[in-house]
Amino acid sequence: MGADVINTSSGAFTKVAAMQSTPTKDLTPKPIVVEQGLTVFLGGAGMIGAYNADMVAAFKEAGILNAVYGNYSSLITGWDKHVPDLVDMLSDAASVVLYNQDESDPVVFEYGEIQKCKYGGEYIEKKYIYGLITIKSNSVVECTPTSDMLAIKIGRDISKIKTTEFPLSALEITKPIPKIGQFNIVGYSWGSVVAARTAMHYARSGTKIDHLVLIGAPINKSLKEAVSNHPNIGSAIIIDLKDKGDPIYAGMTDKELVDSALELGRQMPTAEGHFYYSGDSAEGKARRRELAKLLYSKGLR
């Protein structure tokens, strides 16, 4: 037999063809792209408008990479996709007072001064007009007069309330928390309320936020102090727009917020004051790029 025949215990095998072995895949090393960092932008009430995508574009132009914008609606999840934009916007705006305090704050909403009364040696609050807190009637009660014709206060027992969850998935963001680079959250107006609550959600669970930026933030004192003092929030950057005529500022009371509604209504059509960074005009785009450069100078990457 020739060299092309191999005898084995199982029989004789004849070679019928010869073919050089070649790799079926390109084995050349390929670079692996790893996304570095994540910057989340949350816009104003309704979280609609072209300025959201343009703000993200401005971040990238300034050198703040891997920026995305999210959406959190005060409506039942998904409903904001099926209602007019104006309805979604008004719903978010009206809900600010229900979200703009820290989870540890026992007061949800307070407008005006509730009448203070002394009974049993301690000062407690007495039901006054539309107030929601009352005491048992007693023939001897000393009350401090108040000039407010309307006073409302909504409280809560914080020991019985489940913490509100604000993970990225609730903001319709599918990207994971970055393992390399910065984790930044930037909020504007209603978005700043959600941004602050999101930052506290992650900070309290042990996740580090490098920069939290709150622009024109209608948050109460309790939430402002919480984000400013938590050790897992590296830098809390608060940008009030008072120099632009905005009546909104971080640390304001609910009464100040409610009383500013008319002024906000006047400012919205002209994209001035509180709406300084939301305009769709060329000037609005230029303002957003100035903002992005400012945040880059403050350390966002």
Side-chain angles (χ1 to χ4, degrees):
M1 293 186 179
D4 290 339
V5 177
I6 300 176
N7 291 305
T8 70
S9 60
S10 301
F13 297 87
T14 303
K15 182 175 73 174
V16 296
M19 182 179 293
Q20 182 177 354
S21 176
T22 57
T24 58
K25 294 183 179 179
D26 182 2
L27 301 181
T28 305
K30 300 293 190 301
I32 298 176
V33 178
V34 178
E35 290 187 337
Q36 296 193 17
L38 177 65
T39 294
V40 175
F41 175 69
L42 300 168
M47 295 193 176
I48 55 176
Y51 81 89
N52 289 283
D54 187 62
M55 188 73 254
V56 167
F59 284 152
K60 294 178 180 179
E61 291 170 17
I64 303 173
L65 305 180
N66 203 21
V68 298
Y69 67 90
N71 175 47
Y72 183 89
S73 175
S74 60
L75 297 171
I76 296 175
T77 302
W79 279 26
D80 57 322
K81 305 294 191 302
H82 305 287
V83 300
D85 290 344
L86 180 60
V87 173
D88 187 25
M89 181 186 71
L90 293 176
S91 174
D92 287 350
S95 298
V96 166
V97 295
L98 302 179
Y99 289 84
N100 67 347
Q101 67 289 134
D102 185 53
E103 292 281 356
S104 63
D105 193 336
V107 178
V108 177
F109 176 75
E110 185 171 16
Y111 185 94
E113 183 182 356
I114 300 290
Q115 193 172 26
K116 301 295 190 299
C117 298
K118 188 175 183 179
Y119 172 71
E122 296 181 358
Y123 276 98
I124 53 180
E125 293 169 334
K126 178 183 178 183
K127 186 173 182 180
Y128 180 66
I129 309 247
Y130 294 100
L132 301 180
I133 298 177
T134 187
I135 63 170
K136 295 180 180 179
S137 60
N138 190 279
S139 58
V140 181
V141 178
E142 298 177 6
C143 294
T144 303
T146 175
S147 60
D148 291 330
M149 292 300 295
L150 174 63
I152 302 174
K153 185 172 183 177
I154 302 175
R156 60 183 174 183
D157 183 349
I158 59 176
S159 67
K160 298 181 180 179
I161 294 180
K162 181 181 178 181
T163 300
T164 305
E165 303 293 332
F166 281 89
L168 292 183
S169 58
L171 311 180
E172 300 181 9
I173 294 173
T174 58
K175 289 181 178 288
I177 301 297
K179 295 182 179 180
I180 301 175
Q182 296 181 356
F183 178 28
N184 306 316
I185 306 175
V186 182
Y188 179 26
S189 188
W190 157 250
S192 69
V193 175
V194 179
R197 295 292 290 268
T198 300
M200 290 305 299
H201 165 78
Y202 279 108
R204 284 176 171 147
S205 66
T207 299
K208 172 82 172 182
I209 295 91
D210 293 279
H211 300 90
L212 170 65
V213 182
L214 305 178
I215 306 161
I219 59 175
N220 289 165
K221 181 180 178 181
S222 64
L223 188 51
K224 178 183 178 182
E225 291 181 346
V227 299
S228 298
N229 298 322
H230 201 287
N232 283 336
I233 299 178
S235 174
I237 302 170
I238 295 176
I239 302 177
D240 293 328
L241 303 178
K242 285 187 174 182
D243 60 327
K244 309 295 190 297
D246 185 8
I248 301 297
Y249 68 95
M252 70 190 309
T253 66
D254 292 329
K255 185 177 188 302
E256 290 175 312
L257 178 58
V258 173
D259 290 347
S260 69
L262 290 178
E263 179 60 25
L264 294 175
R266 285 191 288 266
Q267 293 178 352
M268 186 168 64
T270 59
E272 296 295 339
H274 182 67
F275 305 91
Y276 185 79
Y277 291 113
S278 66
D280 291 331
S281 64
E283 185 175 7
K285 292 181 179 180
R287 291 173 178 176
R288 286 188 285 276
R289 276 145 187 82
E290 291 175 0
L291 174 61
K293 291 177 182 178
L294 172 64
L295 297 184
Y296 183 88
S297 72
K298 291 184 177 294
L300 276 74
R301 295 293 183 268

